[in-house]
Amino acid sequence: MDEKLKIKLSIADRVYPLTIDPKQEEGLRKAAKNIENLAKKFEQNYAVRDKQDVLAMCALQFASKIEQGGIDRTEGAKAAFDRLKALDDLVHSKLGE
């Protein structure tokens, strides 16, 4: 039976009750902690006091990391493909095909 777990996460001075699968708990708690840490950093470094602005800046930061990671993986895959193609061409040229 799929037991659900009830937890409460605090983000930006608000408590969010959630009902989750137990396997999600660690990831959600780490994510909430990362948001809290980044929000505090933005508040200290940029003198931002509006929680909505701070959370928007956090969302942009995390989303940009995900997007950049996708871009980096795509570029890495293309470079690997190009190297494999060059290696394949070299092997075929040496075999006389």
Side-chain angles (χ1 to χ4, degrees):
M1 179 178 239
D2 290 343
E3 290 282 329
K4 296 292 184 179
L5 181 64
K6 293 184 181 213
I7 65 170
K8 292 180 181 178
L9 297 178
S10 177
I11 301 172
D13 300 330
R14 285 193 180 180
V15 175
Y16 296 91
L18 301 170
T19 302
I20 61 166
D21 289 323
K23 62 185 177 188
Q24 294 177 297
E25 183 180 13
E26 183 179 1
L28 287 168
R29 290 196 185 279
K30 284 183 177 181
K33 185 177 179 179
N34 288 338
I35 293 168
E36 279 293 307
N37 291 337
L38 188 58
K40 285 179 185 172
K41 192 160 81 170
F42 281 135
E43 287 175 334
Q44 291 169 353
N45 293 338
Y46 299 104
V48 179
R49 296 286 175 242
D50 183 13
K51 292 292 184 185
Q52 184 172 344
D53 289 341
V54 170
L55 290 174
M57 291 167 66
C58 289
L60 179 61
Q61 180 84 13
F62 290 123
S64 69
K65 284 183 181 181
I66 291 168
E67 292 300 323
Q68 189 61 50
I71 291 167
D72 293 346
R73 280 190 300 278
T74 299
E75 290 173 355
K78 182 178 179 340
F81 177 79
D82 291 344
R83 288 192 303 271
L84 287 172
K85 176 77 171 108
L87 183 58
D88 184 55
D89 292 344
L90 180 63
V91 168
H92 282 276
S93 71
K94 296 298 181 186
L95 293 175
E97 292 182 2

